[in-house]
mmCIF file with all atom_site columns, all heavy atoms in Angstrom:
data_model
loop_
_atom_site.group_PDB
_atom_site.id
_atom_site.type_symbol
_atom_site.label_atom_id
_atom_site.label_alt_id
_atom_site.label_comp_id
_atom_site.label_asym_id
_atom_site.label_entity_id
_atom_site.label_seq_id
_atom_site.pdbx_PDB_ins_code
_atom_site.Cartn_x
_atom_site.Cartn_y
_atom_site.Cartn_z
_atom_site.occupancy
_atom_site.B_iso_or_equiv
_atom_site.pdbx_formal_charge
_atom_site.auth_seq_id
_atom_site.auth_comp_id
_atom_site.auth_asym_id
_atom_site.auth_atom_id
_atom_site.pdbx_PDB_model_num
ATOM 1   N N   . LEU A 1 198 ? 18.628 -6.344 27.163 1.00 85.00 ? 217 LEU A N   1
ATOM 2   C CA  . LEU A 1 198 ? 19.778 -5.450 26.995 1.00 85.00 ? 217 LEU A CA  1
ATOM 3   C C   . LEU A 1 198 ? 19.315 -4.005 27.111 1.00 85.00 ? 217 LEU A C   1
ATOM 4   O O   . LEU A 1 198 ? 18.153 -3.682 26.872 1.00 85.00 ? 217 LEU A O   1
ATOM 5   C CB  . LEU A 1 198 ? 20.470 -5.687 25.652 1.00 85.00 ? 217 LEU A CB  1
ATOM 6   C CG  . LEU A 1 198 ? 19.638 -5.530 24.369 1.00 85.00 ? 217 LEU A CG  1
ATOM 7   C CD1 . LEU A 1 198 ? 19.643 -4.078 23.868 1.00 85.00 ? 217 LEU A CD1 1
ATOM 8   C CD2 . LEU A 1 198 ? 20.191 -6.426 23.274 1.00 85.00 ? 217 LEU A CD2 1
ATOM 9   N N   . PHE A 1 199 ? 20.267 -3.153 27.478 1.00 83.00 ? 218 PHE A N   1
ATOM 10  C CA  . PHE A 1 199 ? 19.995 -1.726 27.556 1.00 83.00 ? 218 PHE A CA  1
ATOM 11  C C   . PHE A 1 199 ? 21.280 -0.971 27.254 1.00 83.00 ? 218 PHE A C   1
ATOM 12  O O   . PHE A 1 199 ? 22.305 -1.192 27.893 1.00 83.00 ? 218 PHE A O   1
ATOM 13  C CB  . PHE A 1 199 ? 19.487 -1.337 28.948 1.00 83.00 ? 218 PHE A CB  1
ATOM 14  C CG  . PHE A 1 199 ? 19.237 0.140  29.106 1.00 83.00 ? 218 PHE A CG  1
ATOM 15  C CD1 . PHE A 1 199 ? 18.034 0.688  28.687 1.00 83.00 ? 218 PHE A CD1 1
ATOM 16  C CD2 . PHE A 1 199 ? 20.206 0.974  29.646 1.00 83.00 ? 218 PHE A CD2 1
ATOM 17  C CE1 . PHE A 1 199 ? 17.794 2.052  28.819 1.00 83.00 ? 218 PHE A CE1 1
ATOM 18  C CE2 . PHE A 1 199 ? 19.981 2.339  29.777 1.00 83.00 ? 218 PHE A CE2 1
ATOM 19  C CZ  . PHE A 1 199 ? 18.771 2.879  29.361 1.00 83.00 ? 218 PHE A CZ  1
ATOM 20  N N   . HIS A 1 200 ? 21.233 -0.090 26.236 1.00 82.00 ? 219 HIS A N   1
ATOM 21  C CA  . HIS A 1 200 ? 22.382 0.712  25.853 1.00 82.00 ? 219 HIS A CA  1
ATOM 22  C C   . HIS A 1 200 ? 22.037 2.184  26.014 1.00 82.00 ? 219 HIS A C   1
ATOM 23  O O   . HIS A 1 200 ? 21.172 2.704  25.298 1.00 82.00 ? 219 HIS A O   1
ATOM 24  C CB  . HIS A 1 200 ? 22.798 0.426  24.417 1.00 82.00 ? 219 HIS A CB  1
ATOM 25  C CG  . HIS A 1 200 ? 23.249 -0.997 24.188 1.00 82.00 ? 219 HIS A CG  1
ATOM 26  N ND1 . HIS A 1 200 ? 24.225 -1.589 24.946 1.00 82.00 ? 219 HIS A ND1 1
ATOM 27  C CD2 . HIS A 1 200 ? 22.836 -1.938 23.295 1.00 82.00 ? 219 HIS A CD2 1
ATOM 28  C CE1 . HIS A 1 200 ? 24.414 -2.832 24.532 1.00 82.00 ? 219 HIS A CE1 1
ATOM 29  N NE2 . HIS A 1 200 ? 23.577 -3.072 23.533 1.00 82.00 ? 219 HIS A NE2 1
ATOM 30  N N   . TRP A 1 201 ? 22.703 2.853  26.928 1.00 82.00 ? 220 TRP A N   1
ATOM 31  C CA  . TRP A 1 201 ? 22.414 4.254  27.189 1.00 82.00 ? 220 TRP A CA  1
ATOM 32  C C   . TRP A 1 201 ? 22.655 5.130  25.969 1.00 82.00 ? 220 TRP A C   1
ATOM 33  O O   . TRP A 1 201 ? 21.950 6.107  25.743 1.00 82.00 ? 220 TRP A O   1
ATOM 34  C CB  . TRP A 1 201 ? 23.243 4.728  28.371 1.00 82.00 ? 220 TRP A CB  1
ATOM 35  C CG  . TRP A 1 201 ? 23.041 6.174  28.696 1.00 82.00 ? 220 TRP A CG  1
ATOM 36  C CD1 . TRP A 1 201 ? 23.939 7.178  28.581 1.00 82.00 ? 220 TRP A CD1 1
ATOM 37  C CD2 . TRP A 1 201 ? 21.825 6.773  29.176 1.00 82.00 ? 220 TRP A CD2 1
ATOM 38  N NE1 . TRP A 1 201 ? 23.387 8.377  28.959 1.00 82.00 ? 220 TRP A NE1 1
ATOM 39  C CE2 . TRP A 1 201 ? 22.082 8.156  29.329 1.00 82.00 ? 220 TRP A CE2 1
ATOM 40  C CE3 . TRP A 1 201 ? 20.559 6.289  29.491 1.00 82.00 ? 220 TRP A CE3 1
ATOM 41  C CZ2 . TRP A 1 201 ? 21.122 9.047  29.783 1.00 82.00 ? 220 TRP A CZ2 1
ATOM 42  C CZ3 . TRP A 1 201 ? 19.602 7.188  29.941 1.00 82.00 ? 220 TRP A CZ3 1
ATOM 43  C CH2 . TRP A 1 201 ? 19.882 8.547  30.081 1.00 82.00 ? 220 TRP A CH2 1
ATOM 44  N N   . GLN A 1 202 ? 23.647 4.774  25.158 1.00 79.00 ? 221 GLN A N   1
ATOM 45  C CA  . GLN A 1 202 ? 23.953 5.587  23.979 1.00 79.00 ? 221 GLN A CA  1
ATOM 46  C C   . GLN A 1 202 ? 22.809 5.590  22.983 1.00 79.00 ? 221 GLN A C   1
ATOM 47  O O   . GLN A 1 202 ? 22.629 6.554  22.223 1.00 79.00 ? 221 GLN A O   1
ATOM 48  C CB  . GLN A 1 202 ? 25.249 5.120  23.298 1.00 79.00 ? 221 GLN A CB  1
ATOM 49  C CG  . GLN A 1 202 ? 25.243 3.678  22.809 1.00 79.00 ? 221 GLN A CG  1
ATOM 50  C CD  . GLN A 1 202 ? 25.782 2.725  23.860 1.00 79.00 ? 221 GLN A CD  1
ATOM 51  O OE1 . GLN A 1 202 ? 25.657 2.987  25.056 1.00 79.00 ? 221 GLN A OE1 1
ATOM 52  N NE2 . GLN A 1 202 ? 26.384 1.635  23.398 1.00 79.00 ? 221 GLN A NE2 1
ATOM 53  N N   . GLU A 1 203 ? 22.009 4.530  22.953 1.00 77.00 ? 222 GLU A N   1
ATOM 54  C CA  . GLU A 1 203 ? 20.847 4.487  22.063 1.00 77.00 ? 222 GLU A CA  1
ATOM 55  C C   . GLU A 1 203 ? 19.810 5.535  22.516 1.00 77.00 ? 222 GLU A C   1
ATOM 56  O O   . GLU A 1 203 ? 19.206 6.213  21.688 1.00 77.00 ? 222 GLU A O   1
ATOM 57  C CB  . GLU A 1 203 ? 20.219 3.093  22.079 1.00 77.00 ? 222 GLU A CB  1
ATOM 58  C CG  . GLU A 1 203 ? 21.101 1.991  21.512 1.00 77.00 ? 222 GLU A CG  1
ATOM 59  C CD  . GLU A 1 203 ? 21.200 2.050  19.995 1.00 77.00 ? 222 GLU A CD  1
ATOM 60  O OE1 . GLU A 1 203 ? 20.493 2.869  19.369 1.00 77.00 ? 222 GLU A OE1 1
ATOM 61  O OE2 . GLU A 1 203 ? 21.989 1.275  19.433 1.00 77.00 ? 222 GLU A OE2 1
ATOM 62  N N   . ILE A 1 204 ? 19.625 5.646  23.816 1.00 77.00 ? 223 ILE A N   1
ATOM 63  C CA  . ILE A 1 204 ? 18.689 6.635  24.342 1.00 77.00 ? 223 ILE A CA  1
ATOM 64  C C   . ILE A 1 204 ? 19.218 8.042  24.096 1.00 77.00 ? 223 ILE A C   1
ATOM 65  O O   . ILE A 1 204 ? 18.461 8.956  23.724 1.00 77.00 ? 223 ILE A O   1
ATOM 66  C CB  . ILE A 1 204 ? 18.452 6.413  25.853 1.00 77.00 ? 223 ILE A CB  1
ATOM 67  C CG1 . ILE A 1 204 ? 17.925 4.991  26.115 1.00 77.00 ? 223 ILE A CG1 1
ATOM 68  C CG2 . ILE A 1 204 ? 17.483 7.450  26.401 1.00 77.00 ? 223 ILE A CG2 1
ATOM 69  C CD1 . ILE A 1 204 ? 16.591 4.705  25.468 1.00 77.00 ? 223 ILE A CD1 1
ATOM 70  N N   . ARG A 1 205 ? 20.508 8.237  24.278 1.00 76.00 ? 224 ARG A N   1
ATOM 71  C CA  . ARG A 1 205 ? 21.096 9.549  24.044 1.00 76.00 ? 224 ARG A CA  1
ATOM 72  C C   . ARG A 1 205 ? 20.937 9.994  22.592 1.00 76.00 ? 224 ARG A C   1
ATOM 73  O O   . ARG A 1 205 ? 20.796 11.185 22.307 1.00 76.00 ? 224 ARG A O   1
ATOM 74  C CB  . ARG A 1 205 ? 22.587 9.537  24.409 1.00 76.00 ? 224 ARG A CB  1
ATOM 75  C CG  . ARG A 1 205 ? 22.860 9.434  25.896 1.00 76.00 ? 224 ARG A CG  1
ATOM 76  C CD  . ARG A 1 205 ? 24.334 9.526  26.191 1.00 76.00 ? 224 ARG A CD  1
ATOM 77  N NE  . ARG A 1 205 ? 24.875 10.812 25.757 1.00 76.00 ? 224 ARG A NE  1
ATOM 78  C CZ  . ARG A 1 205 ? 26.180 11.119 25.788 1.00 76.00 ? 224 ARG A CZ  1
ATOM 79  N NH1 . ARG A 1 205 ? 27.051 10.217 26.218 1.00 76.00 ? 224 ARG A NH1 1
ATOM 80  N NH2 . ARG A 1 205 ? 26.585 12.306 25.394 1.00 76.00 ? 224 ARG A NH2 1
ATOM 81  N N   . GLY A 1 206 ? 20.949 9.036  21.674 1.00 74.00 ? 225 GLY A N   1
ATOM 82  C CA  . GLY A 1 206 ? 20.839 9.368  20.252 1.00 74.00 ? 225 GLY A CA  1
ATOM 83  C C   . GLY A 1 206 ? 19.525 10.030 19.881 1.00 74.00 ? 225 GLY A C   1
ATOM 84  O O   . GLY A 1 206 ? 19.457 10.766 18.893 1.00 74.00 ? 225 GLY A O   1
ATOM 85  N N   . ILE A 1 207 ? 18.468 9.764  20.639 1.00 76.00 ? 226 ILE A N   1
ATOM 86  C CA  . ILE A 1 207 ? 17.161 10.363 20.337 1.00 76.00 ? 226 ILE A CA  1
ATOM 87  C C   . ILE A 1 207 ? 16.757 11.386 21.388 1.00 76.00 ? 226 ILE A C   1
ATOM 88  O O   . ILE A 1 207 ? 15.640 11.906 21.356 1.00 76.00 ? 226 ILE A O   1
ATOM 89  C CB  . ILE A 1 207 ? 16.064 9.273  20.240 1.00 76.00 ? 226 ILE A CB  1
ATOM 90  C CG1 . ILE A 1 207 ? 15.932 8.516  21.570 1.00 76.00 ? 226 ILE A CG1 1
ATOM 91  C CG2 . ILE A 1 207 ? 16.349 8.319  19.090 1.00 76.00 ? 226 ILE A CG2 1
ATOM 92  C CD1 . ILE A 1 207 ? 14.779 7.528  21.594 1.00 76.00 ? 226 ILE A CD1 1
ATOM 93  N N   . SER A 1 208 ? 17.660 11.689 22.318 1.00 74.00 ? 227 SER A N   1
ATOM 94  C CA  . SER A 1 208 ? 17.299 12.531 23.456 1.00 74.00 ? 227 SER A CA  1
ATOM 95  C C   . SER A 1 208 ? 16.982 13.975 23.073 1.00 74.00 ? 227 SER A C   1
ATOM 96  O O   . SER A 1 208 ? 16.088 14.590 23.657 1.00 74.00 ? 227 SER A O   1
ATOM 97  C CB  . SER A 1 208 ? 18.417 12.506 24.501 1.00 74.00 ? 227 SER A CB  1
ATOM 98  O OG  . SER A 1 208 ? 19.625 13.027 23.968 1.00 74.00 ? 227 SER A OG  1
ATOM 99  N N   . LYS A 1 209 ? 17.712 14.537 22.099 1.00 72.00 ? 228 LYS A N   1
ATOM 100 C CA  . LYS A 1 209 ? 17.456 15.928 21.736 1.00 72.00 ? 228 LYS A CA  1
ATOM 101 C C   . LYS A 1 209 ? 16.027 16.102 21.219 1.00 72.00 ? 228 LYS A C   1
ATOM 102 O O   . LYS A 1 209 ? 15.303 17.020 21.621 1.00 72.00 ? 228 LYS A O   1
ATOM 103 C CB  . LYS A 1 209 ? 18.444 16.405 20.673 1.00 72.00 ? 228 LYS A CB  1
ATOM 104 C CG  . LYS A 1 209 ? 18.247 17.871 20.275 1.00 72.00 ? 228 LYS A CG  1
ATOM 105 C CD  . LYS A 1 209 ? 19.270 18.314 19.243 1.00 72.00 ? 228 LYS A CD  1
ATOM 106 C CE  . LYS A 1 209 ? 19.044 19.775 18.864 1.00 72.00 ? 228 LYS A CE  1
ATOM 107 N NZ  . LYS A 1 209 ? 20.004 20.239 17.827 1.00 72.00 ? 228 LYS A NZ  1
ATOM 108 N N   . TYR A 1 210 ? 15.617 15.221 20.336 1.00 76.00 ? 229 TYR A N   1
ATOM 109 C CA  . TYR A 1 210 ? 14.256 15.267 19.796 1.00 76.00 ? 229 TYR A CA  1
ATOM 110 C C   . TYR A 1 210 ? 13.239 15.027 20.910 1.00 76.00 ? 229 TYR A C   1
ATOM 111 O O   . TYR A 1 210 ? 12.288 15.794 21.077 1.00 76.00 ? 229 TYR A O   1
ATOM 112 C CB  . TYR A 1 210 ? 14.107 14.208 18.704 1.00 76.00 ? 229 TYR A CB  1
ATOM 113 C CG  . TYR A 1 210 ? 12.717 14.102 18.111 1.00 76.00 ? 229 TYR A CG  1
ATOM 114 C CD1 . TYR A 1 210 ? 12.403 14.760 16.932 1.00 76.00 ? 229 TYR A CD1 1
ATOM 115 C CD2 . TYR A 1 210 ? 11.733 13.321 18.717 1.00 76.00 ? 229 TYR A CD2 1
ATOM 116 C CE1 . TYR A 1 210 ? 11.139 14.660 16.380 1.00 76.00 ? 229 TYR A CE1 1
ATOM 117 C CE2 . TYR A 1 210 ? 10.462 13.223 18.179 1.00 76.00 ? 229 TYR A CE2 1
ATOM 118 C CZ  . TYR A 1 210 ? 10.171 13.878 17.002 1.00 76.00 ? 229 TYR A CZ  1
ATOM 119 O OH  . TYR A 1 210 ? 8.909  13.785 16.456 1.00 76.00 ? 229 TYR A OH  1
ATOM 120 N N   . SER A 1 211 ? 13.432 13.967 21.674 1.00 75.00 ? 230 SER A N   1
ATOM 121 C CA  . SER A 1 211 ? 12.422 13.556 22.646 1.00 75.00 ? 230 SER A CA  1
ATOM 122 C C   . SER A 1 211 ? 12.317 14.526 23.820 1.00 75.00 ? 230 SER A C   1
ATOM 123 O O   . SER A 1 211 ? 11.217 14.821 24.289 1.00 75.00 ? 230 SER A O   1
ATOM 124 C CB  . SER A 1 211 ? 12.726 12.148 23.160 1.00 75.00 ? 230 SER A CB  1
ATOM 125 O OG  . SER A 1 211 ? 13.985 12.099 23.804 1.00 75.00 ? 230 SER A OG  1
ATOM 126 N N   . LEU A 1 212 ? 13.438 15.062 24.297 1.00 74.00 ? 231 LEU A N   1
ATOM 127 C CA  . LEU A 1 212 ? 13.384 15.950 25.450 1.00 74.00 ? 231 LEU A CA  1
ATOM 128 C C   . LEU A 1 212 ? 12.748 17.291 25.099 1.00 74.00 ? 231 LEU A C   1
ATOM 129 O O   . LEU A 1 212 ? 12.047 17.888 25.923 1.00 74.00 ? 231 LEU A O   1
ATOM 130 C CB  . LEU A 1 212 ? 14.784 16.154 26.028 1.00 74.00 ? 231 LEU A CB  1
ATOM 131 C CG  . LEU A 1 212 ? 15.386 14.921 26.710 1.00 74.00 ? 231 LEU A CG  1
ATOM 132 C CD1 . LEU A 1 212 ? 16.774 15.230 27.242 1.00 74.00 ? 231 LEU A CD1 1
ATOM 133 C CD2 . LEU A 1 212 ? 14.482 14.416 27.837 1.00 74.00 ? 231 LEU A CD2 1
ATOM 134 N N   . ASN A 1 213 ? 12.981 17.801 23.882 1.00 79.00 ? 232 ASN A N   1
ATOM 135 C CA  . ASN A 1 213 ? 12.294 19.018 23.459 1.00 79.00 ? 232 ASN A CA  1
ATOM 136 C C   . ASN A 1 213 ? 10.789 18.788 23.386 1.00 79.00 ? 232 ASN A C   1
ATOM 137 O O   . ASN A 1 213 ? 9.993  19.663 23.743 1.00 79.00 ? 232 ASN A O   1
ATOM 138 C CB  . ASN A 1 213 ? 12.820 19.488 22.100 1.00 79.00 ? 232 ASN A CB  1
ATOM 139 C CG  . ASN A 1 213 ? 14.072 20.326 22.218 1.00 79.00 ? 232 ASN A CG  1
ATOM 140 O OD1 . ASN A 1 213 ? 14.147 21.237 23.022 1.00 79.00 ? 232 ASN A OD1 1
ATOM 141 N ND2 . ASN A 1 213 ? 15.086 20.014 21.423 1.00 79.00 ? 232 ASN A ND2 1
ATOM 142 N N   . LEU A 1 214 ? 10.403 17.600 22.928 1.00 77.00 ? 233 LEU A N   1
ATOM 143 C CA  . LEU A 1 214 ? 8.981  17.265 22.864 1.00 77.00 ? 233 LEU A CA  1
ATOM 144 C C   . LEU A 1 214 ? 8.388  17.188 24.264 1.00 77.00 ? 233 LEU A C   1
ATOM 145 O O   . LEU A 1 214 ? 7.287  17.698 24.511 1.00 77.00 ? 233 LEU A O   1
ATOM 146 C CB  . LEU A 1 214 ? 8.796  15.930 22.134 1.00 77.00 ? 233 LEU A CB  1
ATOM 147 C CG  . LEU A 1 214 ? 7.359  15.436 21.974 1.00 77.00 ? 233 LEU A CG  1
ATOM 148 C CD1 . LEU A 1 214 ? 6.523  16.455 21.205 1.00 77.00 ? 233 LEU A CD1 1
ATOM 149 C CD2 . LEU A 1 214 ? 7.333  14.079 21.277 1.00 77.00 ? 233 LEU A CD2 1
ATOM 150 N N   . VAL A 1 215 ? 9.115  16.575 25.184 1.00 74.00 ? 234 VAL A N   1
ATOM 151 C CA  . VAL A 1 215 ? 8.645  16.505 26.569 1.00 74.00 ? 234 VAL A CA  1
ATOM 152 C C   . VAL A 1 215 ? 8.533  17.905 27.163 1.00 74.00 ? 234 VAL A C   1
ATOM 153 O O   . VAL A 1 215 ? 7.577  18.221 27.894 1.00 74.00 ? 234 VAL A O   1
ATOM 154 C CB  . VAL A 1 215 ? 9.595  15.637 27.421 1.00 74.00 ? 234 VAL A CB  1
ATOM 155 C CG1 . VAL A 1 215 ? 9.248  15.758 28.904 1.00 74.00 ? 234 VAL A CG1 1
ATOM 156 C CG2 . VAL A 1 215 ? 9.503  14.188 26.992 1.00 74.00 ? 234 VAL A CG2 1
#
Side-chain angles (χ1 to χ4, degrees):
L217 58 88
F218 178 84
H219 297 307
W220 179 247
Q221 60 268 29
E222 295 286 354
I223 302 298
R224 290 184 62 186
I226 61 174
S227 62
K228 181 179 180 182
Y229 177 96
S230 61
L231 291 180
N232 276 313
L233 180 59
V234 170

